[in-house]
Amino acid sequence: MTGQVLASWSEGPARRAILDYVHEATTPGTAFVEPADRIATFDNDGTLWVEQPLPPQFDFVFRAWEEEAKADPSLAERQPYKALIERDRAFFEGVATQEPETVATLLEAFARSWAGTTPEEFDARVREWTRTVRDPQFGVPYVELVYRPMLELFDLLRERGFRVFVCSGGGRDFMRVFSEETWGILKEDVIGSAAAYTYTGGGLVRSPELLGGLDLGPGKPEHIFAHTGRLPAFAGGNADVDIEMLTSAAFALLVRHDDDQREYAYTKGAEASLTTAERLGWTVVSMKSDWTTLF
């Protein structure tokens, strides 16, 4: 690791808590964490990049579903196509706050839409989206809206022997397309909700079925354990759907969106996690006060 440690972090309780934990976890003593157990897991939407007005993956899928609905008008009576056509505010609010039932509906449709495609075909669609679509607020591709302070945290953790994973309720295969070039995280270290695959005719194709349960709430520590055989030593999130993952970790970091000048200020979908953070003593990061640079 080169340069100043956590260079985009202001001096303050959050930065000190991170540095103290990492030092104690990697120095012989009572808080020492064995190298094999140094697992760090992070949510994606709202933790690693912008999630307002909607998580970026839904920009990708909504564009595809609008085209599907135009080609097949009968889809207008099925969710999520119905909500898209009718501009259902309640449905979109459930998407924005990652309400599990709404997200489940979306991911089931997501699996159906690309059923029968090869991994290469799906990857090509996502890569085209990353190149051509821009965030409506900031006017740049979504992959440019990753939080620099979190990438610096990844560098610190890796330098001290932690293995860093992304664990998101979003699509695993969607994130894997850009994980290596955007986060520096190998595809195999991305955990998320995923379609099953079938090997047929000498190759893999996507199934219309979801693989395992939804990677939200209790699904996060369940998926992490299934993937790594361990629960995290360090975990970072920003919302109520991250509570179980954060509770399962020895050190929990909660990102609070309170910067309406450089990004957004909101607590909807994070009220319970903020209350839990206060009760359990988690480290809460203020985007406004703790980060000198966002992107």
Side-chain angles (χ1 to χ4, degrees), residues 68 95 122 125-126 142 167 208 247 274:
E68 288 180 25
V95 175
F122 178 76
R125 291 287 298 275
V126 178
Y142 286 97
C167 180
T247 303
L274 288 166

Side-chain angles (χ1 to χ4, degrees), residues 114-129:
W114 281 275
T117 62
T118 67
E120 293 77 16
E121 289 169 337
F122 178 76
D123 287 3
R125 291 287 298 275
V126 178
R127 287 196 181 281
E128 179 67 13
W129 175 85

